[in-house]
Amino acid sequence: MSASHLNPRFGLRVHRPAHAHGPSVHIFLQHIVRHANGMLAVTPDCASLEEMEGQIGQLKDELDEMLRQTRRAFKDGPGASAKG
């Protein structure tokens, strides 16, 4: 599934402070549902294994994309290592 079809639940923040040696990165929640019992959900309720498998696949796709963006940030940023 391509990223354009996803409703992103997570966001990635890359901060490049002027005084730091390199970027700092963190993942944040963009979309959550708080249930009456206080639990925070990152997926809708799923009534079948197939639905949950689809939700997990989308989560993996989102996390993989954020990992690619993070690698680029550290590769392209000041203080980037030669590891690539």
Side-chain angles (χ1 to χ4, degrees):
M1 176 173 276
S2 73
S4 63
H5 293 260
L6 298 176
N7 179 13
R9 288 165 261 218
F10 302 110
L12 182 72
R13 180 177 182 267
V14 178
H15 182 64
R16 299 179 189 277
H19 63 281
H21 214 45
S24 74
V25 180
H26 73 262
I27 295 171
F28 60 92
L29 293 170
Q30 295 192 121
H31 175 76
I32 59 169
V33 174
R34 182 178 296 273
H35 293 276
N37 64 4
M39 289 187 346
L40 301 175
V42 294
T43 68
D45 288 336
C46 297
S48 70
L49 175 60
E50 291 77 20
E51 285 180 88
M52 183 51 81
E53 287 175 336
Q55 291 296 317
I56 291 170
Q58 288 179 4
L59 290 168
K60 287 178 178 180
D61 289 346
E62 290 178 48
L63 292 169
D64 286 343
E65 177 56 28
M66 285 186 288
L67 182 56
R68 283 189 287 276
Q69 292 174 20
T70 300
R71 286 180 174 143
R72 279 194 301 270
F74 281 99
K75 181 179 177 185
D76 299 340
S81 70
K83 282 184 172 180

